[in-house]
Amino acid sequence: MLLPMKLFLLFATFLCAAALRIPAATPAARPNLVLILADDCTKADTELYGGQAKTPNLMRLAREGMTFTQCFQAAPTCSPTRHALYTAKYPVKTGAHPNHTFVKPGVTSVAQWLKSAGYRAAISGKTHINPPEAFPFEYLSENSISPEKRHTTNPDFAAVEKFLGDCAKSAKPFGLLLCSNEPHSPWDKGDASAYPPERLTLPPIFVDTPATRSDYSKYLAEITYFDGQVGEALALIDKLGLRDNTVVIVLTEQGNSFPYAKWTCYDAGVGSGLVVRWPGRAKAGSTSDALVEYIDMVPTFFEAAGLPLPNDLDGKSFLPVLTGRANRHKTHVFALQTTRGIIAGPEYYGIRTVRDARHRYIVNLTPEATFKNAATNQESFKEWRAAAQAGDANAVRLTRNYQHRPSEELYDCVTDPWNQQNLIADPKHAATVAALRRQLAQWMEAQGDRGQETEMTALDRVWKKGDPK
C-alpha cells in the first residue's frame, strides 16, 4: 500500500501545481498593479517621444515593456482626467466634467473593485477626486496631510516602501497609484541648469520670447524630476522582489499649461504618453499605434488579473494589444473640455472632440466667446501679445487662434501633429467631417451630454469642502 500512497500524493501535488499556474485560481498568482501618473506633461516634450526632457527611467521601462503612440484621455484638466481614469467612464456620465469635481452618487471606482477582489488599494501623492466614499483608497503618507491639500502633493516613497513590504510579506495582491504633482506649475523642482533656455528648441506652437524660454527650461527640468520618481518606484519594486508579478503603467497625463495644450482638446492637450511593463506578457521593447484611452487602463488590468468588473463601463480592455494578439483596439476616441469654473476662465467655453487614427474633429460650443485661462495670464503670453502688437506675424496667428476659434475644426494629426492647419473648409475632407460629426453626436447623446446646457450646470458639479452631495 506504500507505493500507491506515494503515487497518490505525487499526483495530488501535480494537480495543485497545475492549479497554481491559473491566475484566477489563487490570490498569490494574481498580478499586482502599479500605476504612475504625471501631472500636466506634454508627451512630446519627453525623451521617450523625441523631446528634450531627459527621462532615463521611462526609457528603461520602454525597453522592458510596450510603448503606445496613440493614448488619449477624456479631458485636458486634472480632476476630470482622474475621475475618468479611476471609474472607467467618461466625465459627463459620472457628473465629473468640470475641474475640481466629484462623481454622482452610486458611481464606483477601481478602489472598490480591487478591494472586492481581495486586493489592497492604495494611493500616494496627488488625489483630486471626490467624494471620498467613492474612492476608498488607503492614503500612503508618513505625514498627516488633509484631503484638501492632497491635490498638490507627491508620492511619499517611505510610506510606499512600507506598503509594498507589507504586501510582499503577506503575499497580498495590491493596486497602487503613484500620482505625482510634476511637472504641474509652479516649475520649481529639478535642475533647470541642465536645460539652458538659449539652447532649447521651442515647439512650433510657441512664440519665441525670453519668458517662454525661461519657463520652458524650468518645465523640462520638472519632467526629469518626475522621471526620477518613476525610478524610485521601479527601484522599490525590484528591491522587494515584486517585479515579475507586477504590471507597471506610466501615464504622462494631459499637456502642459502653456497655450494649445492643457485646457484644450488638441492632440497636445488630450494626448498622453503610455508605457506598460508586464514581464513575460508584454513584449519588451515593443511599440503599438493602437488607439487607447485612459478609461481602458483599469479594464485592461482587471482582465489581465482575471477579475470581474461592472458591466456598465465605457472603458474596454486592450489586453490583446498588450500581449501581441492584436494591433488595433478602438476606431474612435472622445474628449471634452469644460472651461466654466476653471481658474481665470471665461463664463463658459465648452469643447467636444472625436479622433480616429488620423483626424481630429473639434466642436467649439460657443465660438463667439473669448477662450482664456491661466495660460493667458502668464508673463510669457503677455510677451506673445506684445510681439503680436509689434507686428510679428507668427505671434499674431498664435495669439488670435488660441483665443478666437471657429465653431468647427478638423486636423490631420499625421501631417499636422500640433493641430495648426484647420481643414474644416476643405471640400476634400467633407466625407471625413461628416463621419466624425456623426460619431461625436452619437457619443454625446449616449453620454447624456446636452452641449451648452450641460456646460451651464458645471458649477453644480464642483466639489466644496463639506459638500454633502
Side-chain angles (χ1 to χ4, degrees), residues 328-341:
R328 296 175 182 269
H329 180 52
K330 289 182 170 178
T331 59
H332 297 85
V333 294
F334 303 89
L336 60 84
Q337 162 65 12
T338 296
T339 304
R340 183 169 168 81

Side-chain angles (χ1 to χ4, degrees), residues 41-63:
C41 177
T42 300
K43 75 173 187 180
D45 293 321
T46 67
E47 180 183 13
L48 179 61
Y49 289 93
Q52 296 164 90
K54 296 300 181 184
T55 54
N57 295 296
L58 281 178
M59 298 296 284
R60 169 199 161 188
L61 200 66
R63 290 191 296 269

Side-chain angles (χ1 to χ4, degrees), residues 72-154:
F72 299 93
Q73 56 203 74
T77 44
C78 301
S79 192
T81 286
R82 284 162 171 73
H83 285 87
L85 175 63
Y86 304 156
T87 65
K89 291 183 178 181
Y90 291 116
V92 169
K93 182 180 288 186
T94 66
H97 52 287
N99 205 14
H100 313 294
T101 187
F102 63 108
V103 296
K104 297 175 182 176
V107 175
T108 55
S109 74
V110 61
Q112 293 152 318
W113 307 332
L114 285 169
K115 288 184 174 183
S116 295
Y119 277 61
R120 289 182 69 179
I123 189 170
S124 189
K126 182 168 181 170
T127 51
H128 217 176
I129 44 179
N130 275 303
E133 58 267 23
F135 303 93
F137 293 104
E138 300 177 46
Y139 189 78
L140 307 180
S141 177
E142 296 285 276
N143 303 305
S144 178
I145 303 174
S146 68
E148 293 76 26
K149 299 284 187 181
R150 291 177 185 172
H151 72 284
T152 59
T153 56
N154 277 316

